[in-house]
Amino acid sequence: MPFGVRRTELVILGVSAGAFLALSLLFATAMWYLWRESIAAEAKVVGRLASTLGARTEAMILDTRNLLETFDELPYPRCSREHLQALQDAVIARPYVRAVGYFRAAERTCGVGFLQARNVKPPKADRIYESGVVAWWPSPHTEVGGLQLFLMRYGDHDAAIDPRVLIDLGPLEHRQAGLWVEKLRLTAAPADAQLPRPDDVPIGVTIDRAAGRVVSRFSRSGVLPIDIVAIEPLSSFWDRHVQTLAAASGAGLVLVAVWTYGLMRYTRRQLSPASLLRRALARGRIHAYYQPTVELATGRCAGAEVLARWKMKNGDVVEAASFIPVAETAGLLPDVTRAVLDAPLGELREFLRESSGFRLFINLSAADLDNPRFSEWLDRRLKSSGVPARAIGFEITERALVNTDAARDTIRTLRARGHTIAVDDFGTGYSSLSYLSSFELDVLKIDKSFVDAIGTESATSHVIVHVIEMARSLGLRIVAEGVEREDQARWLRDHGVDYAQGFLFGPPLPSADFAELASRRKEAA
Amino acid sequence: MHRALWRPGMVVATMMVLGGCGSKDRAVVTPPAAAAEPAPQPAAPPMPEPAPPPPPAPRAPAVLVVKPGEFETTWAARRQTLVGAGRRVSPDEIGYYMDVQQARLQQIGGHWLSVIRKGHRVQLSLPGRWSFKVGSAELSSTAQSALSSVARVLADYCLSLITVHGHTDDSGDPAFNQALSERRALAVAKHLVSEGVALDRVLVVGHGAAKPLASNASEDGREENRRVELQVDPLTDTSLVPVRRPDLQVRQSPVRRPDL
């Protein structure tokens, strides 16, 4: 295609790249969103875990504190059987209380539970509350049998609490978690977990890429401030969410590919010559140009061949030879014919009505001939414009004639109405003389290649003589095409050719220029 | 002779440290003359006896009132005497001993008594306004009942030396203020002793207006300066444990802290 091929490719490339970019951006946004969702999901899980842990811890602390208060109010003599029984009952009822002791001043006098043998006296209390509650957070000083206890004393009793029971491992999955009360570490799971302090971690879920882990912190401020810090290796976090992410990215990539491919296909079709031609037809960009046909004897302008021209948006004019093959393969030839027929009936109407003996030749394709509705349409158009049928002739290529009964009928009909039928490009096909004679024809147009050969020694130069003789024998008038030199015109005139067209007489012209040339030639005659 | 008389007393005291000291306090309160005859008290009852201790004697044992200038040396000497008599807290238990004692004082003190911790020392402060009438050394009934509770705790935690400091504002005659501060501190000390705190654990010192907490220029400041302070120091061998532990928390924080 001579027209806009490179531009078309560039447009397709540009559109595809743009679409790919836009979709990739969309895809990236979606991935980012999913990633955020994964983090939000993590925050939800750990948040729920933290709120359970926090509530449980607070309940445990308050319960212990109240328990100690009730112990001081027991009506039994201290260290009596009833007293110890009451303590025992309370310890057994609570999974986290390991022991309860009764003290006189700083000395444990009696008690129940598992810590009978040893007096635990940490050198420094972590908290002494206004109310008189003393609390010792788990430390080596509160360790008994390898277990660091949380101790609480109020009044004359103390309780030893096993903080491990606060965090159950089940819901943690791959996480490690720690529990801080009043910013003091109460417990962790596993016990030796290396966890950052709550104050070193922002609240919520944080991706700590440097350390390759996901750090979550949730804080709760009830009676006492409670912090929960959970860490998880980035790899296991990734493992948990990778399925969603992978599925989403797979779907996303497929979507991008399909979309890009579809858009490319669509764009290619939109920018294909056929589509462009279809659009040009719809928008009236196919124009008629007129190339004069001159009577060789007189030099009078006896008619013209109507040629289709595509005036592109950028001002370029594309010749019929360039787009007729496209129209042919796309089945658009009838539309081109129609456009080319419509044009003169509009712009040259007056001229055609007034000039008798003037004849416009319009090229018909095999598709036109096969279409039975063509002649009806033509008839209607001629009647509405008032142009007589004899003013319009049709050129049919030798190849289009090699055809069917329908074509034969159309030709007969047209001829019956008064249209002149010419056989175009004669000599380029393989039709024999007898075959040609089976059609009802009026004019034979000699192809430019024969005219070019005039005055040369080539083999073709002799053929034209025979063509002329043959046309005469069939009673056909002859039009020579592509006459460019005066000597060719002379030769043709001398050999009895009636009409000629070519650059010698005038190129294909727009209607206005042609009308002017035709009237000048008339005068010349 | 004198030494020999004391020996059984020391044995008794040592046993008390091991088994709680409610009764031992009373035993020590017993004047040396009386201590010679009854060595019968070792089988201590589990609870402190509410019974008032010594029978009135012609030379009734009195709480030692110390002049401010002699306070440091007297305090150190008394402390050494008690520690030397085996009444001491094991060095690695001091922290626990004072922690739980402080908690107990806070528990009973309520809002009336402010409890401050400085190292191993627990300091109680009685505001003058609620404790005494103006210019008088007579304890109000509120103060008496509050001090009775304090006395019970101090009697339970018997391994400490208690110093009662009297303070006044600077209005009026300095000599009168000095005397008033002394009499007020003494009134507090006597009440403690009457509620079972061993006599030899208590020292009294009056400072007059010499150690104001706040400026005496305002009524609020004077109000704050009129007070009686009780310093409770654990009895321990100072060569082993420094009296002050800098890392220990100081209570009385201005920010409101969570409470249980």
Side-chain angles (χ1 to χ4, degrees):
Chain A
M1 296 296 105
F3 56 94
V5 171
R6 284 199 50 185
R7 201 176 67 93
T8 306
E9 292 298 321
L10 279 173
V11 167
I12 290 169
L13 206 73
V15 167
S16 305
F20 182 76
L21 260 172
L23 264 164
S24 300
L25 201 71
L26 189 80
F27 179 57
T29 313
M31 286 295 285
W32 174 81
Y33 176 76
L34 272 167
W35 174 250
R36 298 283 311 194
E37 282 297 293
S38 301
I39 290 178
E42 178 72 6
K44 207 171 164 188
V45 169
V46 182
R48 201 182 300 131
L49 201 70
S51 100
T52 314
L53 276 179
R56 187 188 296 170
T57 304
E58 187 175 294
M60 180 275 286
I61 288 172
L62 291 180
D63 175 56
T64 306
R65 187 233 181 279
N66 294 335
L67 191 65
L68 292 172
E69 196 167 359
T70 60
F71 288 160
D72 271 5
E73 290 159 5
L74 287 172
Y76 314 117
R78 296 306 184 237
C79 297
S80 66
R81 216 163 55 87
E82 292 87 349
H83 177 224
L84 292 176
Q85 187 62 52
L87 302 188
Q88 180 82 50
D89 290 347
V91 170
I92 285 175
R94 288 163 178 81
Y96 44 85
V97 178
R98 285 300 169 92
V100 170
Y102 168 73
F103 285 74
R104 287 190 57 202
E107 295 306 313
R108 193 180 202 268
T109 322
C110 58
V112 297
F114 302 130
L115 305 173
Q116 301 283 0
R118 212 187 125 189
N119 260 342
V120 181
K121 291 186 176 178
K124 181 177 178 294
D126 291 292
R127 290 288 184 273
I128 301 173
Y129 295 99
E130 296 286 347
S131 59
V133 172
V134 195
W136 294 266
W137 264 250
S139 76
H141 295 296
T142 68
E143 190 172 304
V144 175
L147 168 61
Q148 296 187 356
L149 294 156
F150 176 65
L151 300 177
M152 190 190 285
R153 176 166 168 175
Y154 181 72
D156 293 329
H157 292 84
D158 83 348
I161 288 162
D162 181 356
R164 296 173 307 179
V165 301
L166 291 171
I167 302 183
D168 30 28
L169 293 164
L172 283 179
E173 292 173 27
H174 301 286
R175 298 179 191 90
Q176 300 188 329
L179 181 71
W180 277 258
V181 176
E182 288 218 57
K183 309 292 182 197
L184 297 170
R185 178 159 154 171
L186 190 63
T187 185
D192 57 348
Q194 294 292 311
L195 295 160
R197 297 162 53 81
D199 285 347
D200 300 338
V201 176
I203 287 179
V205 175
T206 320
I207 306 294
D208 183 355
R209 287 212 170 71
R213 63 189 184 181
V214 182
V215 184
S216 314
R217 176 193 163 190
F218 288 87
S219 297
R220 181 180 204 280
S221 53
V223 176
L224 299 176
I226 293 173
D227 293 279
I228 284 103
V229 172
I231 60 170
E232 180 178 18
L234 206 49
S235 57
S236 81
F237 174 78
W238 184 251
D239 283 348
R240 188 139 19 84
H241 295 287
V242 75
Q243 288 175 344
T244 329
L245 286 169
S249 52
L253 282 174
V254 168
L255 193 76
V256 169
V258 167
W259 174 263
T260 309
Y261 177 71
L263 197 77
M264 238 171 90
R265 283 283 301 267
Y266 177 75
T267 312
R268 197 179 283 280
R269 198 173 308 140
Q270 282 303 297
L271 289 174
S272 72
S275 298
L276 291 172
L277 179 59
R278 198 174 286 116
R279 228 170 311 147
L281 281 162
R283 293 175 190 174
R285 289 209 204 97
I286 303 299
H287 294 265
Y289 270 50
Y290 306 89
Q291 184 166 30
T293 309
V294 172
E295 193 174 27
L296 280 170
T298 61
R300 178 182 69 97
C301 178
E305 182 179 356
V306 186
L307 297 163
R309 286 289 184 276
W310 182 348
K311 282 190 183 169
M312 306 203 90
K313 246 192 284 189
N314 59 7
D316 288 351
V317 176
V318 180
E319 295 200 4
S322 298
F323 66 85
I324 289 302
V326 175
E328 196 166 3
T329 47
L332 290 170
L333 272 181
D335 299 277
V336 175
T337 308
R338 217 166 285 187
V340 168
L341 243 167
D342 258 343
L345 294 181
E347 56 201 20
L348 290 178
R349 189 165 67 168
E350 297 306 317
F351 184 85
L352 291 173
R353 278 204 284 216
E354 286 160 16
S355 321
S356 59
F358 185 86
R359 204 164 274 124
L360 281 183
F361 281 93
I362 288 155
N363 293 285
L364 284 190
S365 66
D368 292 320
L369 293 175
D370 280 343
N371 181 5
R373 294 171 65 187
F374 169 74
S375 61
E376 293 168 27
W377 174 84
L378 174 69
D379 194 35
R380 264 201 317 279
R381 283 297 287 123
L382 285 178
K383 276 183 178 139
S384 68
S385 64
V387 174
R390 62 180 156 72
I392 307 293
F394 295 101
E395 296 185 11
I396 301 160
T397 59
E398 196 185 332
R399 266 161 299 175
L401 281 175
V402 182
N403 232 313
T404 57
D405 292 342
R408 218 176 281 269
D409 288 347
T410 306
I411 290 170
R412 194 175 299 119
T413 310
L414 293 175
R415 227 171 151 257
R417 290 208 197 121
H419 296 292
T420 308
I421 306 294
V423 60
D424 202 3
D425 300 337
F426 184 77
T428 58
Y430 304 98
S431 51
S432 65
L433 191 63
S434 60
Y435 183 75
L436 205 60
S437 64
S438 70
F439 291 92
E440 298 177 38
L441 302 168
D442 304 292
V443 175
L444 188 142
K445 293 191 92 168
I446 297 173
D447 193 68
K448 183 174 184 291
S449 55
F450 297 111
V451 177
D452 284 344
I454 292 170
T456 66
E457 293 304 316
S458 71
T460 328
S461 63
H462 302 291
V463 177
I464 189 168
V465 183
H466 299 294
V467 170
I468 292 166
E469 278 174 11
M470 182 197 72
R472 278 225 192 91
S473 67
L474 287 170
L476 300 174
R477 276 167 291 157
I478 301 166
V479 179
E481 289 187 296
V483 180
E484 287 167 357
R485 299 192 309 273
E486 197 58 55
D487 66 295
Q488 290 170 334
R490 208 166 30 241
W491 190 93
L492 290 166
R493 193 167 54 229
D494 293 348
H495 285 77
V497 172
D498 314 298
Y499 303 97
Q501 70 184 63
F503 276 71
L504 181 64
F505 310 106
L509 294 167
S511 60
D513 297 346
F514 171 74
E516 195 220 314
L517 179 137
S519 45
R520 206 173 55 233
R521 283 271 177 185
K522 238 190 210 167
E523 282 161 24
Chain B
M1 176 62 187
H2 200 198
R3 275 174 173 274
L5 272 178
W6 266 102
R7 204 157 271 169
M10 276 174 65
V11 173
V12 170
T14 314
M15 289 173 69
M16 293 307 156
V17 170
L18 297 174
C21 52
S23 59
K24 178 215 62 189
D25 252 24
R26 204 157 50 78
V28 177
V29 167
T30 313
E37 59 172 274
Q41 314 237 4
M47 298 292 284
E49 279 175 17
R59 282 177 66 241
V63 176
L64 183 58
V65 179
V66 189
K67 293 295 162 205
E70 301 160 5
F71 172 67
E72 294 290 338
T73 47
T74 313
W75 183 85
R78 174 64 64 89
R79 175 193 165 98
Q80 203 49 53
T81 308
L82 294 172
V83 168
R87 290 160 66 176
R88 59 177 178 236
V89 189
S90 147
D92 43 319
E93 290 185 13
I94 292 172
Y96 182 82
Y97 193 81
M98 295 313 283
D99 283 345
V100 293
Q101 186 178 356
Q102 177 197 341
R104 202 79 173 91
L105 288 168
Q106 276 171 209
Q107 188 187 342
I108 56 106
H111 295 294
W112 185 76
L113 201 68
S114 77
V115 181
I116 299 169
R117 181 72 176 271
K118 290 174 176 171
H120 283 320
R121 170 177 293 168
V122 173
Q123 182 175 308
L124 307 171
S125 192
L126 287 72
R129 183 188 195 166
W130 294 340
S131 310
F132 302 97
K133 295 193 189 80
V134 178
S136 157
E138 194 188 328
L139 280 166
S140 70
S141 60
T142 331
Q144 285 188 17
S145 70
L147 278 173
S148 297
S149 310
V150 170
R152 276 196 292 278
V153 175
L154 292 177
D156 275 353
Y157 292 83
C158 58
L159 300 177
S160 63
L161 179 53
I162 301 151
T163 320
V164 187
H165 297 264
H167 301 273
T168 65
D169 61 27
D170 71 345
S171 56
D173 177 33
F176 173 79
N177 283 341
Q178 173 62 36
L180 179 65
S181 67
E182 226 166 68
R183 280 190 291 131
R184 284 185 166 177
L186 190 58
V188 170
K190 279 180 169 168
H191 192 82
L192 293 179
V193 171
S194 76
E195 290 286 341
V197 176
L199 188 68
D200 56 358
R201 288 176 59 202
V202 187
L203 289 177
V204 167
V205 61
H207 298 280
K211 291 188 170 177
L213 276 181
S215 163
N216 278 303
S218 72
E219 179 48 42
D220 283 352
R222 285 196 294 279
E223 174 78 49
E224 205 177 325
N225 290 335
R226 295 191 290 268
R227 83 261 179 208
V228 173
E229 287 170 358
L230 274 74
Q231 281 178 6
V232 181
D233 294 288
L235 288 170
T236 186
D237 195 339
T238 42
S239 63
L240 294 175
V241 178
V243 175
R244 294 213 158 198
R245 273 201 320 188
D247 64 316
L248 233 127
Q249 61 186 351
V250 177
R251 288 194 42 85
Q252 194 193 35
S253 152
V255 278
R256 179 158 161 64
R257 303 179 50 164
D259 195 10
L260 272 175

